[in-house]
Amino acid sequence: SQEEPAGRPAPGASSAGAGTIKEGLKVAFLPKQVNNPYFDASDNKGGKVAVEEFKGVYSQTGPSEASPSAQVSYINTLSQQGTDVIVVSANDKDAICGALQEARTAGAKVVTYDSDTNPSCRDVFINQASAEGIAASQIKLIGEAVGEEGGEIAILSATANATNQNAWIEMMKTELAKPEYAKLKLVDTVYGDDDDQKSFQETQGLLAKHPNLKGIISPTTVGVAAAARYLSGSEYKGKVQLTGLGTPNQMRAYVKDGTVTSFALWNPSDLGYLAAYTGGALASGLITGKEGETFKAGKLGDYTVAKDGTVLLGDPFVFTKDNIDDFDF
Amino acid sequence: MTAVTGGTRLVHRVFVIRELGIAAALVLLVAVTVLVNPRFLTAQGIKDLLLGSTILAVLAVGQSIVVITRNVDLSVGSVLGLSAFATGSLFVANPGLPIPVALAAGVLLGAVCGAVNGALIAAARVPALVVTLGTLYVFRGVDYTWATGRQINAADMPPGFLRMGSATLLGVPVLALFAVVVLVAAGYYLRTYRSGRELYAIGSSPPAARLAGIPVGRRVFTAFVVSGALAGLAGVLYAARFGTLDANAGNGFELNVVAAVVVGGVAIFGGSGSVYGAALGAVLLTTISSALPVLGVSPFWQRAAVGALILAAIGLDRALAVRMARTLRGRSGRG
Amino acid sequence: MAEAVRDGAGSKAGSGAMRRVRAVAGSWDAVLVVALILVVAIGALGIEGVASPRFWRFVTLEVIPIALIALPMTLVIITGEIDLSVASILGLTCTVMGQLWLWGVTSLPVVIVLCLLLGALLGAVNGLFVTGFGLPSLAVTIGTLALYRGLGYVVLGDQAVADYPPEWTTGAIAAIPGLTIPWMIIMVAALAIVFALVLHATPIGRGLYAIGNNAEAARFTGIGVARTKFWLFVATGAMSSLAGVFWTLRFASARADNGMGLELAVVAAVLLGGVSIFGGRGGLLGVIAAVILLGTLRNALQLAYVPANTLTIITGSLLIVSVVGPNVAGMVRERLRRRRSVTP
Amino acid sequence: MSESPPILSLRDVSKSFGAVRALSGVRLDLYAGEAHGLVGENGAGKSTLVKVLAGAHPADAGTLTVDGKELALSGPADAQAAGIAVIYQEPTLFPDLSVSENIFMSRQPLRGLRRIDAKAMRAATSELFARLGVGLDPDRPARGLSIADQQLVEIAKALAFDARVLVMDEPTAALSGVEVERLFSVVGSLREAGAAVLFISHRFDEIFTLCKRITVLRDGRWVSTDPATGLTVEELVRRMVGREVSALYPKTAADVGHPRLEVRGLTRHGVFEDVSFTVRGGEIVALAGLVGAGRSEVARAVFGVDRPDAGEVTVEGRTLPPGDTAAAIAAGLALVPEDRRQQGLVMELSVARNATLTRRWSLSRLGLLFGGAERAAARTWSERLQVKTARLTDPVSTLSGGNQQKVVLAKWLSTEPRVLIVDEPTRGIDVGTKAEVHRLLSELAGQGVAVLMISSELPEVLGMADRVLVMHEGRLVADIPRTRADEESVMLAATGQATGQAAGRATGQGGTA
Ligand SMILES: Nc1ncnc2c1ncn2[C@@H]1O[C@H](COP(=O)(O)OP(=O)(O)OP(=O)(O)O)[C@@H](O)[C@H]1O
Ligand SMILES: Nc1ncnc2c1ncn2[C@@H]1O[C@H](COP(=O)(O)OP(=O)(O)OP(=O)(O)O)[C@@H](O)[C@H]1O
Ligand SMILES: [Mg+2]
Ligand SMILES: [Mg+2]
């Protein structure tokens, strides 16, 4: 029961390289942690569909807490089980490297998604959206929400160590330096640790600390939901704007009650779907992860491997009051 | 006999002092924060503080009842998570469910979890720390298995329920009223009922309690049921307050709760302390973590500051206790 | 040594309930060892991969940091204290190690010595609060759990240091020549023997049991209760730092959140090993068996496609069974005995 | 022999702990309005019998009848409901709770809505204390009470019951003459009100003063029950021990040598002030005083368990660092503390380990210490002191009270101290072993050891000491040589009076020597 966000680009021009994905491939998804709704959507609602399409054997496994060491243990297990494709979202871009290398030596193909490792440790990284794209859209959304006169804004991030978050925050700073955003002033960055309550408290702290705050960007699904909830139940509702990366189901209530005008996200199921196909293509020898190779990812169409072995899913999709009811994830 | 009145006053003053120390630390912290940023104490600020403390305070009340009997309940975080998710699931399954029913269900589920703990501990006479560390994993595992990555969102729960999470009554948040009622009831019970005093006796000396004919097993069992039920209640309050639920709700809470109880002057080896102190400890800890961002402490320093302040708080409490013991030695004893 | 272990657990005869508990607790080591053998045997027969050398390499690598911390933790818990700050000490050590590298300290021995000193210092702070100010260790180390982890963030912030030379990182996990097992296990085994000897066959060890059972009587016997506990915290700090050094090198990544939550895993292993949380009872043989058992079970079940959530439940249940099992068995035995003695 | 039927009677009671038969086929009848003495060697099963009566231990076999009705006790609550109040051998207080709560736990006076009436409880406590002549503040916590004060609170607790059967397991072991007399008068009035009393003591004078009938236990078996009037101490001892015991206080004169222990100006504010004395080699110096006079506190400070506020302790000319027990032991000091359970022993450890804990360094080879060496060393001393235990590897908690005391003695005597401080060394020790302990102390003095003996038993003080130091309210008030020491002079100093009125009280402590 899911629909695809519209407006997804189809990069590959002509049909991808010849040949099809082998049947019976063992494809294992290893998210940052199981029990996380985001990864539930990407793996069990996206990856699984893809693997079943090319008649592989799908599995999802992983630790119940998001720690790199626990992930290493699962990588070792997967490699011993003779998995053909490991699709992993890294809790630490370096810490799981050694284990991934050992797995590759044992014959597995490694695809990273959502959160990358060092390029040397995997074959391909499925980038949900380019850092530039995310940063640009986040700044654009907050700029629109805050309005003409601009003002102070702050960022509520996930953990201080989250690689992707930190990359986006850097890009956002670059973006803010552009003249059209001269009136927006980034005054603070705080970390909610992807913990609901902590994010909630940090939002509270931001508002108390910066009386003139006009907007908050929270480029993490946990953070943006917590911030929205705080704002919607406080006197700041409507006075302080909020945007970020969130799922439509989490944010629906706050978009409807006016706390949030717009926010962005890619479709996590598509991310998992694409990752599965990429893995299949790698394991079948259709691609090797070199720049310029193309392949077909089922219903998503054709994709091209870009620099550093990355495949870009597309630009983030913007959700507003008008389109949010078209989605359920 | 003449020494009695003086001694009475001394002992009473001493009991008051124990909670005053924490209260003083709290006032000091708030004062400093307000000096730096007056917005910390606006109506909204106070409301946030009270709301933020509520869940921890409810858990701390339950925990201190258990700690007073020389036990500990490490599973409260997992019970909270289970109950919160259950509440959410109930609303998803029956959208029209009246709020009191959900409350009762959450409390009941918590009580059942507490009963599992209590039965294992009281019947098999095994250390609570080990059993509840075990059930911490088991309950959380059950929660994980049940939720399997599902999430329950604000939109799935009735607006009335969520409004309860931020509504106020005469300026006091409704959720905080729950905590106050729980606190006063528990405090009054522990002080004025035989079975309440027996909990202190059990914690003070378990073998002596057995010889005194106190039904130790039954009392300890009850303490765990109460702690579980309060954790269940906290789960429902959590659902109302946070609106978004997945299997991780309350993960890692146990150490915060124990810290609140200890900071609040409840002796970790049982027998002394009060639920009021524990609740104050919860408010103090919450205030610390809310005040640090407001004070502009760098996010990288915040965690360290929390640790340092916990140490300072228990150190202060200890200093007061030592001073009290010294007074006692000098002034009391045989008349 | 086996005899010493049993004596430490006070195996034979006792009073009523306590006696039953102890009679069984004495043999708990044996139960664990048998359980370990069973797990290995059943795993090797029933789960593909358990019999392979690679499996044991992975298990060993995983078990080393927990074992390193569990050794001193056993002693601490036997004296009736607890140290919950170990994982934070590990994490802080990782960040300091990273910072040293950033500062250009390129001699591994120097780094290790500095880290061990740091760990000893952090442990000394715990020890000072516990023995000097007389605060309960549970409370103190919940405080330093937050403090040390926080200091880790102060040191490295959101950075990760990962550009260690490969000789360091591969050296740490290199196998014993001709085997797949990492050489570090030899060091861990040596340390385990040292700790076991200290606990079970030295005057110091006798003192530890005395302190854990009755600190006041120990004081009246001239045992420096405060001093002993202080040094145990120092040792725990240093061992946690050693685990931190290993952690950094094994994962080739120094970050502030390394080893988060490890403290409960260590405490769980020690308790499963038959050490009484109230102090005074338990031994190292059981703890070591428990550490290996947990590591093996977890990896074997993972191989058998058991999901993480179920593993969580199994870990918890094991802990419960480890205390409830012997007690219930003892009660049943006592009831049978009483029935026998009444009937004739 | 008897008139009305007994209030309480036990028939064929047996109780085993594992292989140890603590009681087998014991019988006992308690009658209204009379006190019944129970005597026996250490480990004879007296306390076990008490615990069976109290419902604390389930009996393996036998019946308990109260008022002709057979009762099955499933716990202490049942015994209490049947009107049986018990004072256990070891105090069972709640240290964190106030003294009055300790006394009324689970039986607090109530007001409306079943709430506790704290005022009434406090008043009742004051009244009880007045009856017993105890000056404790009802609101003070029980923590920090001396053993004697704890014992007094226990007595108040039992009295508060208004019980029909009052069972007292060595209630006087920690008390001195004055308190004992008060206790006896209170027990007397209870008896007149129709209660039955079971009284256990190793002091025969007390047994004969109080009891109408006396039951003797030996090795867990009932030996005899006879009216006290027809019995003599010698006969009782013979029945208890199964042989003759001679010379109860065999003090032999020893040459007094040079000063070994010198204490100067020792002070702990609020506890004791300016205590100075000297103990020479070969000398047994007794430290006498009423309960709470501060004697044990002085011993603790001398031994370095507590750090004194002022003053110094010198052993053989060398000044000890304050508050350092290890240094005191190294200098040749040993302290047998008054509270064996809290201070003397590690209850969960084996007899062997406890007995050798003080010598763990000297017994080790190359830093390693093995069980064999400990057991061998422990065996010598436990045989010498006749410790009754099945195995040396049994936890010391399974021993009877008196046998535990012997293990404490063994633990310290085996260190071959030069200065031995013994605090109530024979508390709870039976008559046969007591003689052995006294002989040991004499012998040690003979070998040149300086012995400081704290004792609340006046006959013991007078019988053993070369010199008697007397403390009163934290101060040393008298130093009486053996020749001039008698009950009157010691008690006068101890009660802080000049002449006259104290003499009568002191005689309650008539010795058995
Ligand atoms: N809980 C127990 N477990 C095992 N053995 C025990 C236990 N309690 C008592 N015993 C044993 O039972 C026997 C009787 O002990 P009990 O304490 O009744 O002696 P007692 O007559 O009170 O001696 P004392 O005069 O020394 O107090 C002793 O051999 C003792 O070792
Ligand atoms: N830890 C403590 N805290 C407070 N008061 C104490 C403590 N220990 C003892 N006291 C009090 O100090 C006084 C001296 O006690 P101490 O035990 O030295 O007396 P004693 O002469 O040895 O008598 P006893 O026969 O009771 O042993 C008593 O009033 C006692 O209640
Ligand atoms: Mg006895
Ligand atoms: Mg004394």
Side-chain angles (χ1 to χ4, degrees):
Chain A
S1 70
Q2 62 178 19
E3 296 154 65
E4 312 307 322
R8 191 204 49 71
S14 64
S15 186
T20 49
I21 295 174
K22 280 192 272 189
E23 285 189 12
L25 287 177
K26 285 164 98 179
V27 182
F29 274 73
L30 179 52
K32 282 183 175 171
Q33 71 176 127
V34 292
N35 311 317
N36 180 325
Y38 172 84
F39 289 109
D40 189 48
S42 67
D43 303 356
N44 295 330
K45 296 189 181 126
K48 186 169 181 211
V49 176
V51 175
E52 278 164 3
E53 277 174 18
F54 59 74
K55 298 197 172 54
V57 182
Y58 166 86
S59 67
Q60 189 211 30
T61 184
S64 44
E65 78 284 4
S67 90
S69 56
Q71 237 175 357
V72 164
S73 170
Y74 278 93
I75 296 169
N76 291 340
T77 301
L78 288 174
S79 123
Q80 285 184 79
Q81 286 167 340
T83 310
D84 299 300
V85 180
I86 299 177
V87 183
V88 56
S89 169
N91 279 322
D92 178 341
K93 77 187 197 347
D94 306 294
I96 65 170
C97 248
L100 285 179
Q101 295 288 22
E102 279 198 54
R104 288 169 84 193
T105 320
K109 297 292 174 194
V110 174
V111 176
T112 54
Y113 70 124
D114 176 64
S115 174
D116 197 9
T117 60
N118 275 332
S120 61
C121 315
R122 43 79 178 160
D123 296 289
V124 174
F125 169 51
I126 311 298
N127 198 351
Q128 54 270 52
S130 66
E132 293 87 344
I134 289 172
S137 91
Q138 295 285 294
I139 298 295
K140 179 156 169 286
L141 291 181
I142 199 70
E144 283 169 7
V146 167
E148 283 294 290
E149 58 286 21
E152 295 181 354
I153 59 166
I155 295 174
L156 169 65
S157 177
T159 60
N161 292 88
T163 344
N164 46 4
Q165 298 275 333
N166 289 340
W168 300 337
I169 292 170
E170 276 315 302
M171 294 305 301
M172 284 186 217
K173 287 180 183 159
T174 322
E175 191 70 20
L176 280 171
K178 292 184 180 163
E180 62 258 45
Y181 298 120
K183 290 211 175 105
L184 289 180
K185 185 158 159 284
L186 179 64
V187 289
D188 213 340
T189 301
V190 295
Y191 302 92
D193 290 346
D194 263 352
D195 173 277
D196 207 89
Q197 212 186 353
K198 179 97 194 313
S199 309
F200 200 85
Q201 273 180 350
E202 288 294 341
T203 312
Q204 187 182 316
L206 271 180
L207 293 166
K209 193 162 43 156
H210 305 288
N212 300 320
L213 199 70
K214 284 284 179 316
I216 297 174
I217 304 172
S218 184
T220 155
T221 53
V222 179
V224 75
R229 215 169 40 251
Y230 177 75
L231 288 180
S232 87
S234 79
E235 53 173 298
Y236 304 108
K237 176 173 161 185
K239 297 182 195 141
V240 177
Q241 303 302 322
L242 172 69
T243 192
L245 301 175
T247 67
N249 283 353
Q250 264 183 315
M251 299 298 290
R252 194 174 331 263
Y254 310 111
V255 169
K256 294 212 166 146
D257 76 4
T259 311
V260 176
T261 35
S262 60
F263 63 95
L265 196 67
W266 49 91
N267 186 333
S269 324
D270 283 353
L271 182 65
Y273 186 88
L274 175 57
Y277 263 100
T278 314
L282 279 166
S284 311
L286 306 181
I287 56 170
T288 60
K290 275 211 277 298
E291 189 172 352
E293 290 173 335
T294 61
F295 64 100
K296 183 171 180 343
K299 63 181 180 186
L300 290 183
D302 295 334
Y303 282 86
T304 309
V305 181
K307 198 163 141 291
D308 281 339
T310 58
V311 172
L312 184 67
L313 178 66
D315 278 329
F317 182 78
V318 176
F319 300 90
T320 62
K321 199 187 291 182
D322 302 327
N323 67 11
I324 195 163
D325 279 337
D326 301 338
F327 302 98
D328 179 23
F329 67 87
Chain B
M1 287 305 100
T2 45
V4 170
T5 47
T8 313
R9 244 182 287 116
L10 176 73
V11 172
H12 276 256
R13 211 178 61 209
V14 155
F15 275 119
V16 174
I17 283 176
R18 285 194 65 87
E19 276 117 39
L20 265 188
I22 315 152
L26 185 61
V27 170
L28 191 73
L29 179 69
V30 171
V32 169
T33 317
V34 169
L35 277 185
V36 174
N37 186 337
R39 274 164 62 105
F40 191 62
L41 268 201
T42 57
Q44 178 69 38
I46 295 178
K47 182 182 149 193
D48 288 341
L49 266 186
L50 289 176
L51 273 177
S53 318
T54 296
I55 290 167
L56 194 58
V58 170
L59 289 175
V61 168
Q63 185 72 253
S64 47
I65 293 176
V66 168
V67 169
I68 280 169
T69 65
R70 197 181 285 193
N71 284 293
V72 68
D73 186 353
L74 291 183
S75 71
V76 285
S78 301
V79 174
L80 182 152
L82 205 51
S83 144
F85 198 80
T87 310
S89 303
L90 264 183
F91 281 129
V92 172
N94 321 284
L97 198 71
I99 295 174
V101 177
L103 257 171
V107 171
L108 192 70
L109 179 66
V112 169
C113 292
V116 170
N117 284 330
L120 284 170
I121 291 157
R125 292 205 191 164
V126 292
L129 191 137
V130 188
V131 169
T132 57
L133 184 59
T135 52
L136 174 151
Y137 289 121
V138 172
F139 294 154
R140 181 63 67 185
V142 169
D143 190 12
Y144 282 155
T145 309
W146 182 17
T148 48
R150 262 186 311 144
Q151 186 170 44
I152 293 165
N153 297 298
D156 302 328
M157 286 184 266
F161 182 64
L162 295 175
R163 231 175 291 125
M164 186 177 94
S166 55
T168 56
L169 200 75
L170 303 174
V172 183
V174 174
L175 289 195
L177 289 178
F178 275 95
V180 170
V181 170
V182 165
L183 173 66
V184 171
Y188 193 73
Y189 162 76
L190 284 177
R191 187 165 278 211
T192 42
Y193 283 87
R194 278 182 183 173
S195 46
R197 301 312 298 169
E198 287 175 1
L199 294 181
Y200 280 91
I202 292 168
S204 196
S205 170
R210 285 216 170 78
L211 290 180
I214 296 173
V216 176
R218 208 161 66 219
R219 293 278 177 272
V220 169
F221 176 79
T222 313
F224 274 95
V225 172
V226 169
S227 168
L230 288 182
L233 174 65
V236 180
L237 301 184
Y238 186 101
R241 168 122 172 93
F242 293 109
T244 304
L245 299 169
D246 60 31
N248 284 308
N251 216 346
F253 257 34
E254 53 282 345
L255 291 189
N256 288 349
V257 179
V258 174
V261 166
V262 172
V263 165
V266 177
I268 197 71
F269 297 118
S272 77
S274 77
V275 289
Y276 305 112
L280 270 176
V283 176
L284 181 63
L285 285 194
T286 318
T287 310
I288 289 175
S289 52
S290 320
L292 290 176
V294 175
L295 284 170
V297 174
S298 130
F300 297 125
W301 275 97
Q302 280 180 25
R303 207 188 287 255
V306 170
L309 286 174
I310 291 179
L311 287 177
I314 54 178
L316 181 75
D317 188 53
R318 173 73 192 176
L320 287 176
V322 167
R323 170 160 284 184
M324 164 189 124
R326 201 163 294 157
T327 326
L328 212 57
R329 190 180 93 191
R331 303 248 312 255
S332 177
R334 300 176 63 91
Chain C
M1 219 191 80
E3 148 133 358
V5 173
R6 261 192 289 107
D7 269 3
S11 64
K12 294 162 206 152
S15 74
M18 289 317 298
R19 173 174 177 279
R20 273 175 260 139
V21 177
R22 236 175 298 107
V24 185
S27 61
W28 182 246
D29 292 359
V31 173
L32 281 173
V33 173
V34 170
L36 179 58
I37 293 171
L38 280 181
V39 164
V40 172
I42 295 173
L45 293 177
I47 302 168
E48 202 189 318
V50 170
S52 83
R54 271 180 83 204
F55 175 82
W56 290 102
R57 171 174 172 75
F58 294 144
V59 169
T60 321
L61 283 173
E62 227 172 285
V63 152
I64 285 173
I66 294 186
L68 283 176
I69 304 176
L71 294 178
M73 184 72 92
T74 303
L75 274 55
V76 169
I77 295 184
I78 281 178
T79 60
E81 303 289 343
I82 195 165
D83 187 349
L84 292 179
S85 71
V86 286
S88 298
I89 294 181
L90 182 150
L92 180 51
T93 307
C94 291
T95 59
V96 167
M97 211 172 146
Q99 188 61 52
L100 287 173
W101 178 253
L102 292 181
W103 281 337
V105 182
T106 52
S107 154
L108 187 55
V110 171
V111 169
I112 292 177
V113 168
L114 287 177
C115 284
L116 290 184
L117 282 178
L118 171 75
L121 180 74
L122 299 175
V125 172
N126 283 335
L128 187 71
F129 271 101
V130 174
T131 63
F133 306 152
L135 297 170
S137 56
L138 184 73
V140 168
T141 56
I142 286 181
T144 50
L145 168 103
L147 177 64
Y148 296 160
R149 183 64 70 185
L151 290 178
Y153 280 99
V154 172
V155 172
L156 267 197
D158 54 5
Q159 300 175 69
V161 177
D163 49 351
Y164 293 103
E167 335 52 288
W168 289 20
T169 54
T170 52
I173 58 170
I176 302 168
L179 292 174
T180 57
I181 310 289
W183 69 270
M184 277 287 291
I185 199 67
I186 298 178
M187 190 185 82
V188 175
L191 282 168
I193 290 172
V194 170
F195 273 91
L197 277 180
V198 167
L199 181 60
H200 296 301
T202 64
I204 298 173
R206 299 291 192 271
L208 298 183
Y209 282 104
I211 291 171
N213 275 316
N214 184 348
E216 190 176 4
R219 223 150 53 88
F220 271 85
T221 310
I223 296 170
V225 175
R227 194 160 23 105
T228 311
K229 285 184 178 174
F230 176 83
W231 287 109
L232 278 184
F233 277 103
V234 171
T236 310
M239 291 289 281
S240 304
S241 277
L242 186 61
V245 172
F246 174 75
W247 193 283
T248 309
L249 296 180
R250 177 186 176 206
F251 295 114
S253 175
R255 305 199 327 171
D257 61 354
N258 277 3
M260 196 97 104
L262 200 67
E263 63 278 344
L264 287 191
V266 173
V267 171
V270 172
L271 296 181
L272 180 63
V275 175
S276 159
I277 190 68
F278 299 126
R281 211 162 59 225
L284 263 174
L285 181 64
V287 170
I288 292 166
V291 168
I292 303 175
L293 178 69
L294 281 177
T296 311
L297 195 64
R298 170 163 283 272
N299 277 279
L301 291 178
Q302 256 170 232
L303 264 184
Y305 299 96
V306 174
N309 296 340
T310 313
L311 280 180
T312 311
I313 298 180
I314 291 177
T315 310
S317 311
L318 264 183
L319 261 178
I320 297 172
V321 168
S322 80
V323 287
V324 173
N327 266 23
V328 169
M331 283 181 190
V332 169
R333 204 176 308 165
E334 177 72 2
R335 190 147 305 161
L336 290 179
R337 191 192 66 78
R338 195 166 305 149
R339 188 162 310 150
R340 246 183 289 117
S341 73
V342 170
T343 34
Chain D
M1 193 170 118
S2 77
E3 330 68 42
S4 53
I7 297 191
L8 178 148
S9 74
L10 284 175
R11 284 289 170 276
D12 298 324
V13 168
S14 297
K15 171 79 193 168
S16 302
F17 299 100
V20 180
R21 284 221 124 196
L23 294 175
S24 70
V26 172
R27 73 167 88 141
L28 184 72
D29 290 314
L30 300 182
Y31 294 92
E34 91 182 35
H36 192 116
L38 181 62
V39 297
E41 273 188 295
N42 292 134
K46 304 181 294 293
S47 299
T48 309
L49 188 71
V50 168
K51 288 192 179 147
V52 168
L53 270 179
H57 281 327
D60 293 339
T63 57
L64 167 68
T65 323
V66 178
D67 288 334
K69 278 195 296 281
E70 197 175 318
L71 280 184
L73 302 180
S74 68
D78 291 353
Q80 287 169 14
I84 304 174
V86 178
I87 300 171
Y88 296 96
Q89 186 169 10
E90 312 291 348
T92 57
L93 298 182
F94 306 113
D96 300 290
L97 300 186
S98 71
V99 167
S100 63
E101 280 207 277
N102 263 291
I103 292 173
F104 286 100
M105 181 50 68
S106 300
R107 296 174 287 122
Q108 295 98 333
L110 299 181
R111 55 200 169 110
L113 298 173
R114 301 194 53 75
R115 288 169 301 163
I116 293 172
D117 187 346
K119 219 192 239 159
M121 186 165 78
R122 208 170 300 129
T125 308
S126 301
E127 195 197 319
L128 274 173
F129 282 169
R131 256 169 91 190
L132 282 169
V134 180
L136 285 174
D137 173 3
D139 276 325
R140 71 155 287 165
R143 188 186 303 284
L145 287 178
S146 72
I147 280 279
D149 285 340
Q150 291 179 36
Q151 199 64 265
L152 289 169
V153 175
E154 289 288 349
I155 292 170
K157 197 156 98 182
L159 294 183
F161 254 104
D162 281 329
R164 317 218 9 247
V165 180
L166 177 60
V167 180
M168 303 191 286
D169 193 353
E170 303 196 27
T172 56
L175 303 186
S176 63
V178 184
E179 290 94 359
V180 172
E181 256 191 62
R182 271 242 178 67
L183 173 65
F184 281 12
S185 76
V186 174
V187 170
S189 61
L190 278 179
R191 226 175 38 201
E192 272 149 35
V197 176
L198 179 67
F199 180 79
I200 299 175
S201 176
H202 288 291
R203 300 180 186 169
F204 295 118
D205 55 318
E206 294 175 0
I207 296 270
F208 280 105
T209 311
L210 193 65
C211 301
K212 196 163 170 200
R213 273 177 246 257
I214 300 173
T215 293
V216 179
L217 286 185
R218 184 163 80 223
D219 292 335
R221 288 168 199 284
W222 176 85
V223 175
S224 68
T225 301
D226 291 307
T229 42
L231 284 168
T232 60
V233 171
E234 287 70 28
E235 174 60 16
L236 267 190
V237 171
R238 208 181 41 73
R239 289 185 186 175
M240 276 168 56
V241 187
R243 62 184 155 85
E244 298 292 335
V245 174
S246 56
L248 284 181
Y249 296 114
K251 168 71 179 147
T252 48
D255 297 333
V256 174
H258 62 277
R260 284 200 190 263
L261 173 69
E262 283 170 280
V263 174
R264 273 187 295 272
L266 209 62
T267 298
R268 246 169 88 76
H269 296 305
V271 184
F272 55 84
E273 302 280 337
D274 193 24
V275 171
S276 305
F277 60 88
T278 303
V279 186
R280 293 161 188 280
E283 197 178 31
I284 297 181
V285 175
L287 192 54
L290 297 186
V291 159
R295 297 161 297 169
S296 298
E297 296 281 339
V298 168
R300 289 168 62 116
V302 168
F303 193 57
V305 174
D306 294 330
R307 180 186 277 273
D309 296 322
E312 59 174 23
V313 176
T314 314
V315 175
E316 312 232 292
R318 268 179 300 132
T319 304
L320 297 182
D324 187 344
T325 315
I329 295 172
L333 221 58
L335 168 68
V336 174
E338 62 175 338
D339 183 348
R340 57 178 170 255
R341 287 171 65 86
Q342 293 305 318
Q343 303 164 344
L345 296 171
V346 182
M347 300 304 283
E348 299 301 306
L349 288 190
S350 67
V351 174
R353 291 229 164 141
N354 269 290
T356 56
L357 207 51
T358 44
R359 283 189 297 156
R360 59 198 195 290
W361 287 105
S362 55
L363 287 176
S364 63
R365 295 272 165 277
L366 299 173
L368 294 183
L369 176 60
F370 294 97
E374 288 171 321
R375 282 193 294 276
R379 187 162 299 121
T380 327
W381 277 94
S382 55
E383 274 165 14
R384 189 152 171 205
L385 290 171
Q386 299 156 26
V387 177
K388 190 185 161 201
T389 171
R391 276 169 305 235
L392 286 172
T393 48
D394 288 349
V396 77
S397 60
T398 65
L399 265 53
S400 77
N403 281 304
Q404 290 174 0
Q405 183 71 27
K406 293 182 207 168
V407 177
V408 186
L409 281 169
K411 167 179 168 180
W412 285 109
L413 293 186
S414 65
T415 62
E416 298 176 359
R418 272 167 295 187
V419 178
L420 176 65
I421 307 175
V422 285
D423 194 352
E424 312 284 3
T426 57
R427 182 162 85 83
I429 282 198
D430 67 34
V431 55
T433 319
K434 197 180 224 171
E436 173 66 14
V437 170
H438 289 153
R439 202 179 57 70
L440 259 169
L441 290 179
S442 261
E443 194 181 298
L444 284 172
Q447 291 162 8
V449 174
V451 178
L452 179 66
M453 180 180 80
I454 300 172
S455 174
S456 298
E457 254 190 275
L458 216 40
E460 183 169 81
V461 167
L462 299 177
M464 294 297 297
D466 292 303
R467 205 144 55 81
V468 183
L469 302 174
V470 187
M471 281 188 79
H472 172 67
E473 289 182 353
R475 285 177 187 281
L476 212 55
V477 291
D479 183 346
I480 312 171
R482 182 179 177 86
T483 45
R484 282 198 283 119
D486 56 22
E487 281 171 15
E488 192 173 350
S489 60
V490 173
M491 285 315 285
L492 278 180
T495 49
Q497 295 166 50
T499 43
Q501 68 240 76
R505 290 179 178 181
T507 48
Q509 271 283 77
T512 51

